[in-house]
Amino acid sequence: MKWTQLPLGPLQTNAYVLQNDANEAVIIDPGGDGQAFIQWLTSQNLKPIAILLTHAHFDHIGAVDDVRNEFNCPVYLHKNEQDWLADPNKNGSSRFMGNHAITVKPADYIIEKEDTITIGSFSFNVYETPGHSPGSVSFYLKDEAVVFSGDALFAQSIGRTDLPGGDHQLLLTSIHKKLLELPEETVVACGHGPTTTIGNEMDGNPFLSGF
């Protein structure tokens, strides 16, 4: 399996495209630029079979319906944000996008708890990592030694917690009890900016120095 990072949308949110040898693809957080993204997927001969959302902020969901409609693939989202997709006040687009508020059709599958999700040949461990938002999750692929952390953990930073539903202490607890428990060589594929590793963040992230 290989994966590709593609910054999309107004905040250059990292979408991730995971593909297997059969050119099936799982997409994580398609944040915008829907038609350009579809063109790229088509040019790579990829066949998306699912969309996974780390959370439902507007900059992570902008291209969800474009991709879902084009490829007829289901969307997965945590239960704590299942009503955010259709609500610009909750997904933040009314605050940040003005007249370009984003609404998305409901998710096809609701993540109820930490579990393993298997989609075709892809298998993810789902960790609940709230704090940036109440329904934030991280998707861990043990065999690939990578975790897709959404906006929980960044290179030398952590997610903001000043938006509705944010909780700074809860985010620190999520990072400490879930993400920092992963092997130090695990790649952290963040929602924004460059990738990092668990070890690098344990050693040098100024927001985690207390850990």
Side-chain angles (χ1 to χ4, degrees):
M1 192 201 80
K2 76 172 188 175
W3 54 273
T4 304
Q5 180 193 76
L6 294 168
L8 298 174
L11 301 186
Q12 291 293 277
T13 303
N14 290 328
Y16 292 96
V17 180
L18 292 62
Q19 65 186 89
N20 61 19
D21 291 339
N23 278 0
E24 294 174 324
V26 169
I27 298 165
I28 298 175
D29 290 352
D33 302 322
Q35 292 309 308
F37 185 39
I38 288 169
Q39 290 177 8
W40 183 86
L41 292 166
T42 302
S43 74
Q44 303 298 307
N45 296 314
L46 294 175
K47 297 170 286 188
I49 59 174
I51 298 169
L52 305 183
L53 298 177
T54 61
H55 63 295
H57 280 150
F58 74 96
D59 58 312
H60 290 252
I61 65 173
V64 165
D65 277 347
D66 288 334
V67 175
R68 172 164 47 183
N69 293 340
E70 179 72 20
F71 298 102
N72 192 30
C73 53
V75 174
Y76 292 70
L77 176 66
H78 192 274
K79 65 180 180 180
N80 287 350
E81 294 177 18
Q82 61 183 306
D83 61 342
W84 288 31
L85 295 177
D87 189 336
N89 291 319
K90 290 184 175 179
N91 67 44
S93 59
S94 62
R95 176 179 178 181
F96 292 98
M97 299 289 286
N99 294 329
H100 302 284
I102 292 172
T103 59
V104 175
K105 293 183 294 186
D108 302 283
Y109 291 97
I110 300 301
I111 298 170
E112 298 280 350
K113 57 185 173 61
E114 293 189 341
D115 204 350
T116 299
I117 294 177
T118 300
I119 305 166
S121 65
F122 303 89
S123 185
F124 304 86
N125 291 330
V126 181
Y127 294 112
E128 294 177 316
T129 49
H132 172 67
S133 68
S136 288
V137 297
S138 297
F139 299 103
Y140 175 50
L141 280 77
K142 181 178 180 180
D143 291 345
E144 304 295 328
V146 59
V147 61
F148 298 91
S149 65
D151 287 358
L153 180 62
F154 301 118
Q156 299 298 292
S157 189
I158 62 174
R160 63 187 293 178
T161 55
D162 59 336
L163 300 173
D167 184 321
H168 181 75
Q169 189 57 51
L170 180 59
L171 177 58
L172 291 176
T173 299
S174 294
I175 294 170
H176 178 56
K177 291 189 174 181
K178 304 295 175 65
L179 298 178
L180 297 190
E181 291 295 315
L182 298 174
E184 291 189 25
E185 66 272 15
T186 303
V187 172
V188 182
C190 315
H192 302 270
T195 61
T196 182
T197 67
I198 293 296
N200 284 345
E201 298 316 303
M202 291 176 69
D203 293 340
N205 190 313
F207 294 90
L208 305 179
S209 58
F211 293 148

